[in-house]
Amino acid sequence: MTATSRPSPAAAPSGDAVRRAGKRVLLAAPRGYCAGVDRAVIAVEKALEQYGAPIYVRHEIVHNKYVVKTLEKKGAIFVDETAEVPEGSIVMFSAHGVAPVVHEEAAERRLATIDATCPLVTKVHKEAVRFASEDYDILLIGHDGHEEVIGTSGEAPDHITLVDGPGDVANVEVRDESKVVWLSQTTLSVDETMETVDALKQKFPLLVSPPSDDICYATQNRQIAVKQMGADADLVIVVGSKNSSNSVRLVEVALGAGAGASHLVDGADEIDEAWLEGVSTVGLTSGASVPEVLVEGVLEWLSQRGFEDVEIVKAAEESITFSLPKELRRDLRAEAAALVEK
Ligand code: 0O3
Ligand code: SF4
């Protein structure tokens, strides 16, 4: 990419003046919030309304800077460890899930907990517990150090070995090759995971697969949409934070699908004008933790530079929703009942 001499965003002319034939945006659908993120963010907001500030949240509730800042302004306090939460307070666990030891630590500190772990992450935890109870060696495909992997591994630390991509397979050792299963993080690249699984199967032909997909519906759908637009796009902009695994994967998938270039941005203010040089088709999507307002900001930024035609690239319909964490539902029900009695 070369440096640009184009006008700065503030000075950019808008509308017909800059509209050039052939400039278009391919907008991925689905994109942005998945059911687990929506639930987790609403859970923090409802908890703030129900119990008042502050509500402590262990780890970023979802990996998005804007979401975290917005909730902080409303009274949420984000901490890295339960030990930082004052005794007797309320702490919420993030959508990525926690290891059982974290629940124990919270109980020791007499914390009231609200667990916003996505039900689809919990499903993987339960699979890990079940296979460990049957004494399987569990090969967990995922990214080393990622919060979700730490949580899932904590369910059965003596049975789980992390496999961080196909390059890790050569080093994997198991106790009994006839009793091995693979599980995965929910937000991985589908294609890279299948590469890892194929390599594992070469090594362990009796490898058992999870009972259902661990890579969740939302991760899969967002990747399918980006694949559909990738070859037609000179540039794919992915809105998402740098620590958002599923958002980072969308950049990789776009490049793998043939996009001329792809960049991850937290919002329109991070887009480099130089990226548009020679570009007539821009693909646009967002990670599962990204509010739509940030995508709207990027669409506005692009429209000011002549990219006014927006075509939707639809890969799937999504209608799944999850009910709020049970602790919140219980208290909201109790409050509603008290109001009825009055
Ligand atoms: O797991 P990832 O880094 O992609 O997390 P995000 O960005 O917060 O997205 C939501 C996914 C999640 C909570 C775990 O599946
Ligand atoms: Fe749940 Fe999937 Fe969203 Fe993760 S990306 S929070 S597993 S729905």
Side-chain angles (χ1 to χ4, degrees):
M1 292 286 169
T2 52
T4 181
S5 59
R6 289 176 188 213
S8 66
S14 62
D16 293 342
V18 292
R19 191 170 186 172
R20 290 187 189 88
K23 284 192 175 184
R24 61 173 182 161
V25 178
L26 301 177
L27 183 60
R31 62 182 176 279
Y33 272 19
C34 60
V37 165
D38 195 42
R39 168 189 192 256
V41 173
I42 293 174
V44 179
E45 289 168 347
K46 289 271 179 214
L48 284 163
E49 282 170 26
Q50 176 77 8
Y51 313 111
I55 296 291
Y56 291 85
V57 184
R58 184 186 177 279
H59 194 70
E60 292 186 353
I61 185 76
V62 297
H63 291 150
N64 186 267
K65 264 191 199 172
Y66 176 92
V67 170
V68 168
K69 271 194 197 145
T70 306
L71 292 173
E72 270 174 346
K73 281 187 202 143
K74 292 182 179 179
I77 297 178
F78 292 90
V79 297
D80 291 329
E81 293 304 335
T82 6
E84 296 168 50
V85 182
E87 290 212 3
S89 312
I90 300 174
V91 66
M92 188 172 298
F93 298 138
S94 81
H96 315 93
V98 294
V101 69
V102 175
H103 285 278
E104 288 158 23
E105 285 164 11
E108 275 165 27
R109 293 183 70 72
R110 297 185 305 103
L111 303 178
T113 59
I114 301 172
D115 189 355
T117 304
C118 175
L120 299 181
V121 173
T122 303
K123 186 201 79 166
V124 183
H125 281 225
K126 286 182 177 160
E127 285 168 354
V129 170
R130 176 163 76 80
F131 283 110
S133 74
E134 294 171 18
D135 205 25
Y136 273 81
D137 274 349
I138 300 166
L139 306 180
L140 178 65
I141 304 174
H143 296 298
D144 198 6
H146 189 280
E147 196 65 17
E148 181 183 327
V149 160
I150 295 169
T152 307
S153 302
E155 291 286 359
D158 299 338
H159 286 80
I160 293 182
T161 302
L162 181 66
V163 185
D164 192 346
D168 245 10
V169 173
N171 305 322
V172 176
E173 284 175 16
V174 297
R175 291 169 303 157
D176 175 358
E177 293 193 6
S178 70
K179 237 178 160 186
V180 193
V181 62
W182 71 273
L183 300 178
S184 88
Q185 191 180 330
T186 56
T187 50
L188 301 181
S189 147
V190 174
D191 292 342
E192 194 192 271
T193 303
M194 285 310 125
E195 250 181 71
T196 309
V197 171
D198 287 345
L200 285 171
K201 280 186 176 161
Q202 289 280 324
K203 190 164 177 174
F204 308 116
L206 298 177
L207 182 71
V208 172
S209 295
S212 61
D213 288 351
D214 285 346
I215 300 181
C216 79
Y217 81 95
T219 302
Q220 295 193 30
N221 288 344
R222 280 150 192 70
Q223 289 177 17
I224 294 167
V226 164
K227 269 190 187 176
Q228 284 180 9
M229 67 167 56
D232 295 327
D234 306 307
L235 163 72
V236 172
I237 296 174
V238 179
V239 186
S241 291
K242 310 287 176 280
N243 61 342
S244 167
S245 172
N246 78 88
S247 305
V248 175
R249 300 291 82 78
L250 290 174
V251 172
E252 295 168 358
V253 171
L255 293 172
S262 183
H263 298 282
L264 183 68
V265 295
D266 260 294
D269 56 339
E270 287 186 0
I271 305 175
D272 186 339
E273 298 262 351
W275 297 346
L276 292 184
E277 229 150 272
V279 165
S280 57
T281 301
V282 177
L284 177 59
T285 188
S286 55
S289 46
V290 178
E292 188 61 9
V293 66
L294 299 176
V295 174
E296 285 162 7
V298 173
L299 281 171
E300 175 60 24
W301 188 96
L302 287 168
S303 131
Q304 286 170 1
R305 285 150 185 87
F307 290 84
E308 287 169 296
D309 294 331
V310 179
E311 291 170 34
I312 307 287
V313 176
K314 189 164 188 165
E317 282 284 354
E318 287 181 352
S319 54
I320 185 165
T321 56
F322 295 129
S323 52
L324 285 171
K326 61 179 187 312
E327 307 85 348
L328 259 176
R329 273 185 283 141
R330 179 198 61 209
D331 290 353
L332 291 169
R333 265 200 310 269
E335 188 191 46
L339 282 173
V340 169
E341 273 171 26
K342 271 187 187 169

